Amino acid sequence: MSKHRVSRRQFLNYTLTGVGGFMAAGMLMPMVRFAVDPVLKGEDAGDFIATPLKIADITNEPQKVNFSFTQKDAWYESEETGTAWVFKNEGGEIVALSPVCKHLGCVVDWNTDKKNPNMFFCPCHYGLYEKDGMNVKGTPPLAPLDVYPTKEKDGFLYVGKAEPRKGA
Ligand code: FES
């Protein structure tokens, strides 16, 4: 018979240490995973999203294009809808502008303010932008509309992540 008898105090110590360690691991694992998971997954920025707009249908007149994409926030995924105002500039280059007003984030529309035709108009505080997305001085927005990088694939327009206009 072994002389290594476990006293009541030792038994209680082992049990509490074991249960405490188990509970601590249970609490720490989600925290570690939350912190590390997005890093391990890598950056998805730079990915282009397909839009339903055919390149051949892009004209000089801005047209509103909706597209859907999967948004990943850590490990949570949701289906989102994005919008771009798309047209060809004088040089024939495709321009895709974010509709999000740079003042307080309302949505701009094209050519809806009768007093200021052929401009992007934000109805929230009467913000105005030129066709190329430049903000009109004297109206609330202090920066130009963000610009989507664009790409053509199989005859359709693809857009990247909207970014502040370069040089703004
Ligand atoms: S949010 Fe567009 S002008 Fe204020």
Side-chain angles (χ1 to χ4, degrees):
M1 188 97 169
S2 167
K3 292 205 168 193
H4 281 292
R5 294 195 54 183
V6 178
S7 71
R8 190 175 299 175
R9 183 183 297 259
Q10 282 175 320
F11 175 77
L12 211 58
N13 272 342
Y14 293 153
T15 307
L16 288 178
T17 306
V19 170
F22 187 74
M23 285 172 67
M27 286 191 300
L28 285 176
M29 281 303 285
M31 286 191 241
V32 170
R33 190 180 149 81
F34 181 80
V36 169
D37 190 70
V39 177
L40 295 179
K41 275 192 176 169
E43 250 308 295
D44 276 351
D47 285 352
F48 279 73
I49 301 159
T51 74
L53 182 63
K54 286 184 183 160
I55 297 288
D57 293 338
I58 301 175
T59 65
N60 292 338
E61 185 73 6
Q63 56 182 306
K64 194 178 191 175
V65 183
N66 291 327
F67 52 90
S68 52
F69 60 97
T70 306
Q71 171 114 6
K72 288 180 190 162
D73 185 9
W75 62 84
Y76 178 72
E77 289 188 4
S78 56
E79 273 303 305
E80 302 288 335
T81 301
T83 303
W85 282 101
V86 181
F87 61 94
K88 277 187 183 159
N89 65 15
E90 288 75 32
E93 294 159 340
I94 294 168
V95 178
L97 298 174
S98 163
V100 179
C101 180
K102 298 298 276 189
H103 179 222
L104 293 177
C106 286
V107 175
V108 303
D109 237 324
W110 170 249
N111 206 13
T112 49
D113 181 24
K114 288 194 176 74
K115 285 189 207 148
N116 297 288
N118 298 319
M119 289 183 139
F120 288 104
F121 175 62
C122 179
C124 290
H125 313 99
Y126 304 102
L128 283 172
Y129 299 85
E130 304 285 354
K131 184 180 175 184
D132 64 0
M134 288 301 293
N135 51 305
V136 174
K137 288 198 170 33
T139 69
L142 297 176
L145 294 172
D146 286 352
V147 181
Y148 289 103
T150 61
K151 215 186 217 184
E152 178 187 347
K153 195 177 167 203
D154 303 325
F156 284 87
L157 177 74
Y158 281 63
V159 293
K161 192 174 184 293
E163 294 163 353
R165 188 189 171 104
K166 287 189 177 71

